Amino acid sequence: MIVRISSEGQFRLPDGDAERLNEMDNEAVAAVEAGDEERFRSLWDQMLALVAADGKELGDDELEESDVILPPRDISFEEAQGEFTGEGLIPD
């Protein structure tokens, strides 16, 4: 899975991590819908950490279509309420 973090870059994420990222995405949607900003922040940090730790950053000359585009690292909770809805960022 190719993941882009807005304003940062693209990462190739192993298939096993894609499922974990999707689970955290679904949990983040639930946190946003519940108005639980603290829980959302924790999950958002975990999502970004997973991509950074296990993903292999693609070079500037390796442009590939992204399967998932994550919002910027500094997304506000109000902005998250518009992004983390329904099936979330990663459709099931």
Side-chain angles (χ1 to χ4, degrees):
M1 167 186 274
I2 304 295
V3 178
R4 172 176 290 282
I5 300 175
S6 296
S7 305
E8 292 186 28
Q10 285 185 302
F11 299 84
R12 185 178 314 279
L13 199 63
D15 290 341
D17 286 338
E19 180 65 30
R20 179 66 188 129
L21 187 65
N22 188 29
E23 290 170 6
M24 287 189 284
D25 178 45
N26 290 336
E27 292 176 38
V29 169
V32 166
E33 289 177 351
D36 188 344
E37 184 173 355
E38 184 176 330
R39 178 74 178 138
F40 167 75
R41 286 275 164 230
S42 174
L43 289 161
W44 180 233
D45 289 344
Q46 291 175 50
M47 291 172 72
L48 293 170
L50 176 69
V51 173
D54 292 357
K56 179 180 180 222
E57 188 168 8
L58 300 181
D60 291 338
D61 59 341
E62 295 182 81
L63 276 183
E64 293 194 33
E65 184 175 350
S66 299
D67 297 301
V68 176
I69 300 175
L70 300 179
R73 187 173 296 274
D74 62 349
I75 188 172
S76 71
F77 189 65
E78 290 73 25
E79 291 168 331
Q81 290 171 322
E83 298 278 343
F84 290 83
T85 62
E87 292 187 348
L89 303 174
I90 307 167
D92 291 328

